Amino acid sequence: MATRRNSTAARAADAAAVQRQPAEQAHAQELAALQDSDQGPRPEGWRLSPRAVRRFILGGPGPQGDDGLAVARKIHGNDALVERAIVTLAGQRGLMLVGEPGTAKSLLSELLAAAISGDSKLTVQGGAGVVEEQIRYGWNYALLLRDGPGPESLVPGPLHRAMSEGRLLRFEEITRCATEVQDCLVPVLSERLLQIPELKHEQPWLLARPGFNVIATANLRDRGVNEMSSALKRRFNFETMRPLESVQAQAALIAEEAGRALARQRIGTTVAPEVLTLLATAFHELRSGQVGDIAVERPGTVLSTAEAIDVVLNAASQCWYFGEARLRPAHLAHHLLGTVIKDDDEDRRRFAEYLRVVARQRASSADWLDFVDGGRAAH
Ligand SMILES: Nc1ncnc2c1ncn2[C@@H]1O[C@H](COP(=O)(O)OP(=O)(O)OP(=O)(O)O)[C@@H](O)[C@H]1O
Ligand SMILES: [Mg+2]
């Protein structure tokens, strides 16, 4: 008995010992509690009602007021968009999330799939080398040679599985695939049917079960959505994810996300909220090209919340492993260069110019001067 309990505990520890859990595992308790308390109408094939899905993603009280269930907000801003996205998925059109890098397109798509289908892993990662077989289905060539094409030799791809299991298919960075490859979704989205012409002696098609739909994401800095065929575009509802505008909201998001990641990695560096507000301000000013009423040149690199979180994680981990208890603005400036500005000479010049303006404007702030010193020392 003791051995069995030990091995169950060991299995649980094993399951936790991964670098990152998919959303359905990371939030398993919340999802189970929502499922238990969910009274709302549910589209066929969905694990949760649209109301419960919204609550899972945006947090907040239940439909009858506070029911004592603590559900954390996972996507900040974009509330109306989240609701529209859920409605789209309950209908016959696919959902296309577009936007600048680091605006939580992938995160939202993962959370939607976890809440609606209980599985966010039926995913195609778009890329120039992706071929249709990796999306639809392929063949086990040993069985194919021995028995010919049949259900046993067919190896279902993510699309086949999503259709036969009635789940959501996630298609990440869809515009990085060739247009012809993307277009394999056209008949699937309009007729909800996948042709399998090789199955001559069996039923040569697959009909989608209720609950199937597609969430695609596309990054506006990559090859444009213009390269999608108009036939495919018409089969998606488009939603544009935007970065958070207010510096305070950005700082709060950075604090929450970085705090969670640092706790996971057991890094105990002290990160003061003022320091994060300073970083969010610097990101905002570099992105907008404006320090107060002085214009500065904007770096060409991506300066999203995701990059700001990475800067904090790298800086805090340097402090932790190299013996400093507190994260200072100088550490952030140092890592901002390595993580975000990188090796682009023009961007390095623009950042140096930004530091010059900040040093002039905020000479009375010890924190900002520390930030400037850190940035200059790293150049
Ligand atoms: N509005 C937001 N709400 C919650 N988290 C956010 C938000 N914006 C950014 N993030 C953070 O940024 C991280 C990166 O987001 P994600 O990878 O989903 O972006 P993306 O839009 O898919 O970017 P890319 O186009 O580069 O693939 C998220 O995991 C989250 O920590
Ligand atoms: Mg993404």
Side-chain angles (χ1 to χ4, degrees):
M1 184 67 187
T3 327
R4 204 163 84 221
R5 206 175 301 129
N6 285 347
S7 67
T8 313
R11 266 204 305 279
D14 262 5
V18 293
Q19 288 201 330
R20 182 182 182 277
Q21 292 182 320
E24 60 275 16
Q25 273 176 33
H27 306 291
Q29 281 181 344
E30 251 181 26
L31 287 169
L34 280 169
Q35 211 163 10
D36 285 347
S37 65
D38 193 7
Q39 306 277 328
R42 242 179 250 195
E44 217 186 333
W46 283 34
R47 296 269 182 118
L48 293 176
S49 67
R51 264 191 208 168
V53 175
R54 181 184 60 191
R55 191 175 175 205
F56 172 64
I57 294 171
L58 300 177
Q64 263 84 47
D66 194 5
D67 53 7
L69 189 61
V71 183
R73 177 183 268 275
K74 297 165 194 77
I75 295 285
H76 296 256
N78 300 301
D79 288 15
L81 181 152
V82 169
E83 199 165 297
R84 285 197 304 274
I86 297 170
V87 173
T88 294
L89 290 172
Q92 289 292 304
R93 278 165 167 251
L95 170 66
M96 169 70 78
L97 297 172
V98 295
E100 290 290 312
T103 44
K105 301 180 293 297
S106 301
L107 178 62
L108 177 57
S109 125
E110 181 184 1
L111 292 169
L112 285 166
I116 295 172
S117 305
D119 186 356
S120 62
K121 299 181 295 300
L122 289 177
T123 305
V124 177
Q125 181 62 51
V130 171
V131 292
E132 275 188 46
E133 288 76 54
Q134 288 162 284
I135 304 172
R136 296 177 318 183
Y137 55 87
W139 299 98
N140 176 326
Y141 285 101
L143 292 180
L144 188 66
L145 288 175
R146 199 186 70 188
D147 306 331
E152 287 75 33
S153 49
L154 186 142
V155 180
L159 174 62
H160 189 290
R161 284 192 51 204
M163 290 178 73
S164 64
E165 295 169 19
R167 297 180 195 266
L168 291 175
L169 171 74
R170 297 175 53 204
F171 205 137
E172 286 283 299
E173 310 287 356
I174 190 170
T175 48
R176 298 190 57 223
C177 289
T179 314
E180 312 80 78
V181 175
Q182 299 172 23
D183 275 351
C184 73
L185 289 179
V186 173
V188 168
L189 283 172
S190 46
E191 288 147 41
R192 307 275 149 171
L193 177 145
L194 176 66
Q195 298 283 358
I196 313 180
E198 297 90 340
L199 294 183
K200 291 195 200 82
H201 307 298
E202 326 271 339
Q203 180 178 283
W205 65 77
L206 170 72
L207 296 172
R209 293 176 73 86
F212 166 72
N213 209 338
V214 179
I215 312 177
T217 64
N219 186 322
L220 293 178
R221 296 245 179 157
D222 278 337
R223 223 155 22 120
V225 280
N226 300 335
E227 296 193 26
M228 265 179 102
S229 70
S230 54
L232 186 56
K233 269 193 206 163
R234 276 207 319 280
R235 283 157 179 85
F236 277 105
N237 282 350
F238 278 60
E239 295 290 349
T240 308
M241 303 277 292
R242 299 192 193 286
L244 296 179
E245 273 307 313
S246 109
V247 169
Q248 282 315 323
Q250 288 260 6
L253 175 56
I254 298 169
E256 198 179 304
E257 291 288 320
R260 206 174 301 141
L262 290 174
R264 211 167 39 232
Q265 295 171 37
R266 297 201 182 85
I267 291 178
T269 314
T270 307
V271 184
E274 312 81 75
V275 175
L276 295 184
T277 307
L278 181 150
L279 181 70
T281 308
F283 264 66
H284 183 76
E285 289 172 342
L286 285 164
R287 235 187 354 246
S288 61
Q290 204 73 33
V291 181
D293 44 15
I294 299 176
V296 289
E297 241 187 295
R298 288 197 303 222
T301 183
V302 176
L303 287 154
S304 75
T305 318
E307 273 72 32
I309 294 168
D310 284 343
V311 169
V312 175
L313 293 182
N314 286 331
S317 125
Q318 184 194 355
C319 292
W320 183 246
Y321 292 116
F322 291 96
E324 288 202 47
R326 267 188 101 68
L327 183 73
R328 287 190 296 111
H331 299 126
L332 293 175
H334 191 114
H335 283 276
L336 206 153
L337 261 176
T339 315
V340 183
I341 305 287
K342 299 188 179 143
D343 61 346
D344 183 320
D345 284 341
E346 275 301 290
D347 276 357
R348 292 181 89 87
R349 183 185 59 70
R350 291 176 185 128
F351 186 54
E353 178 57 27
Y354 169 74
L355 292 178
R356 246 192 312 279
V357 172
V358 165
R360 254 198 336 260
Q361 295 286 304
R362 299 181 182 142
S364 58
S365 158
D367 273 353
W368 277 103
L369 291 182
D370 191 49
F371 182 78
V372 170
D373 284 348
R376 286 188 177 151
H379 255 286

